[in-house]
Amino acid sequence: MIAVTAAAVAAAATGAVTPAAAHAPGTDARTEERLRRIVGRMSLEEKVGQVFVTRVYGHSATAPDQADVDANLRELGVRTAEELIARYHVGGIIYFAWAHNTRDPHQIAELSNGIQAAALAARTPVPVLISTDQEHGAVCRIGEPATLLPGAMALGAGGSPADTRKAARIAGTELAALGIRQNYAPVADVNVNPANPVIGVRSLGSDPRAVSALVTAQIRGYQGAGVAATAKHFPGHGDTAVDSHYGLPVITHTREQWSELDAPPFRAAIAAGIDAIMTAHLVVPALDPSEDPATLSHPILTGVLREELGYDGVVVTDALDMQGVRTKYGDERVPVLALKAGVDQLLNPPRLDVAWNAVLGAVRDGELTEERLDASVLRILRLKARRGLFADPYTTRAEVDATVGTARHLAEADRIAERTTTLLVNEDGFLPLSPASHGKVLVVGADPASPSGTTGPPTTTLAGALRELGFTATALSTGTTPTAARIDEAVAAAAGQDAVVVGTYNLNATSPQRTLVERLVATGVPVVTVAIRNPYDVARISGQRATLAAYSWTDVELRAAARVLAGRARPRGRLPVPVRSATDPAVTLYPVGFGLSY
């Protein structure tokens, strides 16, 4: 543990900032002047570094494993996070499990402290803004023993701004204890396309007003905990059938449709004092006929976001290694065009050396003025000041122990999750199940990899939760694409059971999961389905006695579903999106707000 006091950090920054309160939307005059003096002391190279946020491999800032050293040398040209900061002066670092940044809470905190120590040893000491994607639900970078909370669509089903704010406050408090001071959440996209391959349950719902209220609640929760919230993905990623990780989506909304459907959550985020807004790698011809992706569009980022919506906070790109932003321009041009469009932070370019030198060259050649660069650096420093990084960027082992995965946080997560589970079908009041009448339960279905890498698999989790509730439950994983042999095995295993619970995952017209459900229904054993991701699954199956929507396959949501199945909790969730007929989308089977109870 690096023991550095807040006073020592402030002294190291040579007249750096006494920040405004964690919830303050701006900076006072004295702080502003001090930040401007810091920008004035920076070299051009240091200013360029401040606008970059990058990955770095390893569990330690100074002594990563050899495999991570090799990965850093291969991708970044440095050995460690310490060398990364010394060479490129980066203003931000993003944590990923696959980059081996997130082994356990104490290690994460030590990594964060090591990064900050390296940054404060620089010629111009400026703390690093450490970030991650901890949306919860389907996207979660830090798993157990940290508290895992319901994801966005589950919170939308709960419909409670108080619960939503509380969940974000818990998540933010734990992130801050780990030294992570920016979260790339909330998702402000309004999901109106059931075929959306990249947003879906990451969205709070399909009603712009409801999404706006819950986005506001999340912002207040995160930023009240001292963590910068980031509304994404501007100007709205909720109506696309293309994943921008792999292609360039086109949003065909008219200007009026965009204003009514996509814009409200971002307007609400700005009104709530959001620290950052993330761009989307997609084309919106109604906002910019050039067909540049929004990340590179001056009409969208400066014309709409800054001038029309009045936003003057930090604009961060979505990851620049995604294909959506790389289809039209090369990796050297993308970061320069993003800055010219109005971006402040350049997130995770595929080659940091290429991107960093491109920005440096653009300023030296006059394509970008140093004044333009200064404006972005100043916004970034304001954010760091608001979140207390100049006062004290470090965390402690004691703070981790007192905060991360506490019994109180875990119990609150369970209580919130219970209020999100949605009952869509309950033929003849089949649910709740009782160990006395339906004691033998077979749990089959999809077992996708855990969002956090530390929970599940779903069939095992559901069966275990049912056993704890008094059932004799057996788990059999059949997968997302069950083979004929696996389906036969499940049908055979259903013999003698009192009920079969099937976890479904993103059913489509040709999914063999549908065959699995049909074959199990044909056995005569009562079948209950649990949609462990998209609630739209219910439109593609029939014959089941009951259906629940859990909205994610993390343990907290599956345990809540088990308690609802067993009648230990009443189903209180209400659909935050409509479920339409799979054969006739004009027909709504289950409208927004639908949900049964008992």
Side-chain angles (χ1 to χ4, degrees):
M1 177 63 215
I2 301 166
V4 181
T5 66
V9 175
T14 317
V17 180
T18 302
H23 64 275
T27 53
D28 59 36
R30 185 181 177 194
T31 297
E32 181 75 7
E33 179 57 32
R34 288 177 174 175
L35 295 177
R36 289 180 182 276
R37 286 204 301 267
I38 292 172
V39 176
R41 289 196 299 271
M42 286 181 175
S43 67
L44 177 58
E45 290 79 4
E46 287 172 326
K47 292 176 183 178
V48 169
Q50 276 298 308
V51 303
F52 281 97
V53 182
T54 184
R55 68 201 177 279
V56 65
Y57 291 85
H59 71 288
S60 165
T62 56
D65 295 339
Q66 186 59 49
D68 292 321
V69 170
D70 294 341
N72 284 328
L73 286 169
R74 182 171 60 252
E75 296 185 21
L76 301 168
V78 297
R79 295 168 53 84
T80 66
E82 183 181 55
E83 290 182 11
L84 171 74
I85 292 165
R87 178 176 297 184
Y88 290 107
H89 320 289
V90 293
I93 288 177
I94 180 172
Y95 285 172
F96 292 105
W98 52 259
H100 309 140
N101 304 138
T102 58
R103 289 181 179 176
D104 63 74
H106 288 139
Q107 168 270 316
I108 297 169
E110 291 287 349
L111 173 60
S112 299
N113 285 340
I115 287 169
Q116 299 298 0
L120 293 173
R123 186 188 74 88
T124 306
V126 177
V128 171
L129 186 61
I130 298 171
S131 60
T132 198
D133 289 287
Q134 192 78 348
E135 297 174 14
H136 289 276
V139 175
C140 206
R141 308 301 187 201
I142 299 166
E144 293 179 344
T147 304
L148 297 178
L149 292 138
M153 193 170 285
L155 292 171
S160 167
D163 279 355
T164 301
R165 182 173 182 173
K166 188 177 296 181
R169 184 65 180 249
I170 291 170
T173 301
E174 295 197 8
L175 288 174
L178 300 172
I180 299 168
R181 304 300 282 273
Q182 181 173 19
N183 192 16
Y184 294 130
V187 172
D189 303 315
V190 180
N191 199 76
V192 295
N193 187 343
N196 194 324
V198 66
I199 304 301
V201 294
R202 297 169 61 197
S203 166
L204 290 154
S206 63
D207 179 350
R209 287 181 296 179
V211 171
S212 296
L214 298 183
V215 162
T216 298
Q218 284 188 303
I219 293 165
R220 289 175 176 161
Y222 284 124
Q223 295 186 180
V227 169
T230 310
K232 61 187 187 185
H233 307 78
F234 188 83
H237 214 316
D239 189 8
T240 174
V242 175
D243 186 340
S244 52
H245 289 84
Y246 309 108
L248 181 58
V250 177
I251 304 295
T252 58
H253 293 177
T254 66
R255 190 66 163 73
E256 292 72 22
Q257 287 173 323
W258 175 82
S259 185
E260 293 175 4
L261 180 66
D262 302 291
F266 293 101
R267 293 183 189 273
I270 294 167
I274 187 77
D275 275 335
I277 291 178
M278 179 180 285
T279 69
H281 304 326
L282 45 77
V283 170
V284 188
L287 301 182
D288 182 358
S290 74
E291 299 191 355
D292 279 342
T295 298
L296 310 180
S297 169
H298 189 274
I300 291 175
L301 297 187
T302 296
V304 176
L305 180 57
R306 296 241 187 253
E307 296 173 358
E308 180 180 329
L309 301 188
Y311 179 64
D312 193 38
V314 169
V315 175
V316 57
T317 70
D318 206 344
L320 295 182
D321 60 351
M322 294 166 59
Q323 194 58 38
V325 78
R326 303 172 73 189
T327 57
K328 191 172 180 181
Y329 302 99
D331 291 340
E332 288 188 20
R333 293 299 298 155
V334 164
V336 175
L337 293 173
L339 288 169
K340 291 176 73 172
V343 158
D344 301 303
Q345 286 183 309
L346 302 163
L347 176 60
N348 210 29
R351 287 287 305 275
L352 179 60
D353 59 338
V354 170
W356 192 90
N357 282 300
V359 173
L360 183 65
V363 177
R364 285 177 171 165
D365 294 343
E367 183 179 5
L368 280 170
T369 66
E370 191 162 355
E371 290 75 17
R372 167 65 190 89
L373 186 61
D374 288 353
S376 285
V377 174
L378 186 57
R379 288 192 189 100
I380 293 164
L381 297 190
R382 287 180 189 136
L383 190 160
K384 292 179 179 183
R386 283 197 301 274
R387 296 305 142 221
L389 283 167
F390 284 102
D392 185 1
Y394 295 107
T395 186
T396 67
R397 191 178 188 92
E399 189 175 353
V400 172
D401 291 339
T403 307
V404 178
T406 63
R408 183 174 64 85
H409 284 178
L410 295 171
E412 195 62 61
D414 281 335
R415 284 191 290 269
I416 293 170
E418 278 187 359
R419 296 190 279 267
T420 68
T421 307
T422 307
L423 179 61
L424 298 176
V425 176
N426 195 20
E427 294 293 339
D428 301 319
F430 182 69
L431 294 183
L433 300 177
S434 164
S437 59
H438 294 87
K440 295 179 65 178
V441 179
L442 174 67
V443 181
V444 304
D447 273 336
S450 167
S452 63
T454 60
T455 63
T459 53
T460 301
T461 299
L462 271 173
L466 289 170
R467 283 194 293 271
E468 290 178 3
L469 296 170
F471 295 84
T472 302
T474 305
L476 174 64
S477 175
T478 48
T480 55
T481 53
T483 63
R486 201 63 167 166
I487 292 172
D488 288 342
E489 186 178 353
V491 168
Q497 300 289 326
D498 297 318
V500 179
V501 175
V502 185
T504 65
Y505 183 90
N506 292 7
L507 297 187
N508 57 39
T510 61
S511 174
Q513 293 179 63
R514 298 177 67 196
T515 304
L516 171 68
V517 173
E518 291 169 0
R519 292 281 307 280
L520 288 168
V521 167
T523 67
V525 178
V527 171
V528 177
T529 62
V530 179
I532 63 173
R533 186 164 182 160
N534 288 329
Y536 311 114
D537 288 1
V538 69
R540 294 194 178 276
I541 51 177
S542 61
Q544 73 276 23
R545 299 291 296 276
T547 292
L548 292 177
Y551 304 102
S552 186
W553 60 108
T554 52
D555 287 13
V556 66
E557 286 163 298
L558 295 174
R559 289 195 307 267
R563 291 193 294 277
V564 170
L565 287 170
R568 301 296 182 90
R570 292 188 299 108
R572 294 195 239 175
R574 298 293 180 264
L575 278 176
V577 293
V579 175
R580 298 185 176 90
S581 167
T583 55
D584 185 359
V587 175
T588 298
L589 302 177
Y590 305 93
V592 170
F594 181 87
L596 304 173
S597 191
Y598 40 78

